[in-house]
Amino acid sequence: MVGERLSRGRFDLRLLFALLLMLTTTATAVAERRVALVIADDDYRLVRPLANPVNDGEAMEASLKKLGFEVVLETNRDLRRMRRALDVFREDAKGADVALVYFSGHGVEISGDNRLLPIDADASSLETLEKTSLPLRDAVAATAKVGLIVLDACRSDPFSGNSGEGRGATPLAKDIAEKVKPGFGRIGRAENILFAFSAAPGETAADGAGQNSPFTTALTKYLGTDGLEIRSVLTLVQQEVYDLSRGKQLPYVESGLPKLFFAAAAKEQLPERERLLLAMADVTPEMRGEVEQIASDADMPLAPLYGALIGSDTSNLSADSLNARLREAADAFVKVRSEMKTLAADDPQVTELRRQAEEQLSLGAFDAAQAKLAEAANIDGVSRNALKVNFVDRTLSQAATVFLSAGAARADLNYAAAINGYEFVLALYGEAGQTSLSLEQADRQSRTLEELGILYTTVGNIEAAGRAFAALLANLEQRSRQETDPSVKRDLAISHISSSPT
């Protein structure tokens, strides 16, 4: 939820009232007691050790302390010490407003019973594994008004002997393998308790290539998001992990909370990326599957496609037309991403802004990407007018940046912005002069005319499309007389075929 900000003005009765309200709110927040137990196990004795759980636990400890939690961190505990830590925590949590238990390490489902594995867990037999693991129900702190159970445990067959993305361990005996499943089974709602798992029941969760798992990385990133109710925070976490894993991992949340609980007190406008993640949660499973398939075919991130889907009016499109529109967006994204990665600029600041734009575009933050490109174009625009000696170079650099901006708009299915951008590119090339263009720049000019022709056709402006294709034909004919590159003659032949009446 996006809240309201206190307005600043003269010191009058309204300001006095606002100050009193702020003091009252602060006093209430201070009075609320939040406690957390963080358990992180990675130094396993009888199963394969893990890489990141202790790092995850330390990151969670730091994040929770910032939110006013009293945090107890327990690392590499055997079953006896894990039980004792939970018993002490339950006693300390009596009467607390919020009690949170976080576990990072191995976890399995045994005959429908979800269990956490301490560092002395023994999988030599089913009976031994049951005796040396902790039932998840024992970790639930029911003595507080609100309970939060957050589990970043294994999903990728924790007893396989192979190394991989998941948190693996040693192989199970064949006679018990069928009864022990990687990951956790589904949890039913429990009154006043929210469960958050790093992946859906039975699905795979990654350990992470860096210092932390993807789930804990997203959790610590968003846990303190100002003004968001905890379930919305976890929606951000879900969709972030889902997006960055390209659909391979989707955290699971089951909430039995009867009231709203805020992770932080202030309320601010959410950034574009966060708004997109929240909107992604409402996309139907069928449409998710379609987006994932198109993104996989194009070898691209999910977020830009979701951004194009959510930001466009697709309500009147048939299923086939919508699929074609999304594939068009994917194709445009791949093209502009390639340009952004390879197109260099003489000005290092312009190059850096283009890099930042590519980063934002991959996150589906089209407005943020456009803002970076506009800043880069403005640098060249100011410089070319101030320093006439660099006029042509700066004009061509600005044209390249605007070309990228138009491509980003095309990937967002924002046809009007794309058309305006490509028209501006042509105007800049006109100012620079045809003789100033390198082969690469001349190719970009030709592609700009082609894109305009396609876009004008798409929006139904046949007259403008005809002008663009005619200009493309003339451009390629002129280049074929001046250049020896065989690709120019090939493009000219294709252009003749495309512009011929059918």
Side-chain angles (χ1 to χ4, degrees):
M1 297 185 297
V2 179
E4 301 175 354
R5 297 179 178 178
L6 293 177
S7 61
R8 296 180 179 177
R10 294 172 298 177
F11 192 82
D12 54 16
L13 289 177
R14 287 175 297 175
L15 179 57
L16 178 60
F17 175 76
L19 289 172
L20 289 172
L21 178 61
M22 182 180 68
L23 291 173
T24 303
T25 303
T26 302
T28 301
V30 171
E32 183 177 68
R33 183 166 180 250
R34 301 173 178 180
V35 296
L37 173 63
V38 175
I39 302 175
D41 291 341
D42 57 19
D43 191 18
Y44 284 88
R45 300 169 185 170
L46 302 175
V47 296
R48 191 176 66 179
L50 307 177
N52 289 331
V54 170
N55 294 334
D56 295 339
E58 291 171 348
M60 277 298 296
E61 178 189 27
S63 295
L64 291 169
K65 283 184 175 180
K66 290 179 181 178
L67 295 174
F69 278 84
E70 304 167 24
V71 185
V72 174
L73 173 62
E74 300 279 353
T75 60
N76 291 320
R77 296 307 187 202
D78 57 23
L79 180 60
R80 181 178 62 83
R81 291 184 178 182
M82 186 183 288
R83 285 190 183 279
R84 185 173 66 185
L86 285 164
D87 288 341
V88 171
F89 179 69
R90 270 192 290 270
E91 186 66 28
D92 290 344
K94 285 182 178 179
D97 296 280
V98 181
L100 183 148
V101 175
Y102 169 91
F103 174 78
S104 182
H106 281 311
V108 295
E109 177 191 351
I110 302 177
S111 300
D113 188 18
N114 294 320
R115 307 181 79 88
L116 310 179
L117 273 58
I119 61 170
D120 60 343
D122 185 351
S124 58
S125 70
L126 182 61
E127 181 181 5
T128 304
L129 182 58
E130 288 178 330
K131 287 181 178 179
T132 59
S133 59
L134 183 77
L136 175 59
R137 59 180 176 273
D138 291 353
V140 177
T143 55
K145 298 175 184 176
V146 170
L148 306 175
I149 309 299
V150 183
L151 303 178
D152 192 359
C154 63
R155 294 293 189 279
S156 188
D157 193 1
F159 298 106
S160 67
N162 299 322
S163 61
E165 272 193 330
R167 296 170 168 174
T170 54
L172 286 172
K174 290 184 179 180
D175 61 334
I176 64 172
E178 292 183 359
K179 297 181 180 180
V180 179
K181 298 179 181 178
F184 294 118
R186 187 168 296 276
I187 295 290
R189 291 196 178 191
E191 187 177 359
N192 298 326
I193 296 176
L194 180 145
F195 292 92
F197 293 172
S198 55
E203 295 297 329
T204 299
D207 190 39
Q211 289 292 308
N212 297 108
S213 73
F215 178 71
T216 295
T217 298
L219 189 61
T220 54
K221 176 181 178 181
Y222 290 120
L223 192 58
T225 302
D226 289 345
L228 277 190
E229 185 263 334
I230 188 63
R231 285 167 291 194
S232 295
V233 168
L234 290 171
T235 297
L236 291 178
V237 174
Q238 281 182 310
Q239 301 305 314
E240 174 101 334
V241 174
Y242 166 76
D243 175 38
L244 298 184
S245 68
R246 296 197 179 186
K248 294 179 181 178
Q249 181 177 341
L250 179 64
Y252 163 66
V253 177
E254 188 70 73
S255 175
L257 300 185
K259 65 174 184 177
L260 300 182
F261 162 68
F262 285 85
K267 301 176 182 180
E268 302 291 342
Q269 176 68 38
L270 287 177
E272 181 183 8
R273 166 70 173 178
E274 281 82 337
R275 297 198 307 272
L276 173 61
L277 292 177
L278 291 175
M280 284 168 56
D282 294 328
V283 174
T284 64
E286 294 77 14
M287 184 53 64
R288 279 181 181 272
E290 191 161 354
V291 169
E292 290 167 17
Q293 183 61 57
I294 293 172
S296 176
D297 292 343
D299 189 21
M300 64 173 287
L302 297 174
L305 272 184
Y306 277 108
L309 172 68
I310 293 167
S312 304
D313 182 10
T314 59
S315 57
N316 296 323
L317 295 179
S318 65
D320 289 343
S321 296
L322 179 56
N323 183 278
R325 188 70 61 86
L326 289 175
R327 291 191 179 277
E328 175 191 343
D331 181 63
F333 171 83
V334 170
K335 288 180 180 178
V336 72
R337 178 182 59 181
S338 177
E339 290 275 0
M340 287 179 171
K341 287 182 177 296
T342 60
L343 189 58
D346 292 334
D347 189 319
Q349 190 176 1
V350 171
T351 298
E352 174 59 19
L353 286 168
R354 290 176 181 173
R355 186 199 65 78
Q356 292 176 15
E358 190 272 330
E359 187 178 78
Q360 292 299 316
L361 191 66
S362 294
L363 294 175
F366 288 101
D367 290 345
Q370 293 287 11
K372 295 295 182 184
L373 291 172
E375 189 177 347
N378 186 61
I379 290 173
D380 282 323
V382 170
S383 180
R384 78 189 187 104
N385 290 322
L387 303 173
K388 294 300 182 182
V389 68
N390 294 327
F391 179 82
V392 172
D393 289 341
R394 285 293 188 172
T395 298
L396 294 176
S397 179
Q398 185 179 16
T401 299
V402 177
F403 181 85
L404 294 176
S405 181
R410 181 87 188 275
D412 192 24
L413 300 178
N414 188 341
Y415 297 136
I419 288 172
N420 289 336
Y422 287 131
E423 290 284 13
F424 187 28
V425 171
L426 294 179
L428 289 170
Y429 279 137
E431 289 186 46
Q434 195 70 28
T435 57
S436 303
L437 302 185
S438 66
L439 177 61
E440 180 185 7
Q441 291 158 351
D443 281 340
R444 194 172 298 116
Q445 183 186 40
S446 299
R447 284 161 50 204
T448 300
L449 287 166
E450 181 182 17
E451 292 291 345
L452 272 175
I454 295 172
L455 284 168
Y456 276 129
T457 302
T458 300
V459 299
N461 191 337
I462 304 303
E463 183 179 351
R467 289 197 299 269
F469 284 127
L472 172 62
L473 190 60
N475 172 272
L476 291 174
E477 286 176 342
Q478 180 182 352
R479 290 181 60 195
S480 69
R481 293 191 294 268
Q482 298 173 344
E483 300 174 16
T484 58
D485 189 336
S487 66
V488 176
K489 296 186 182 298
R490 182 198 64 218
D491 291 343
L492 176 61
I494 295 173
S495 181
H496 270 293
I497 295 173
S498 299
S499 59
S500 300
T502 56

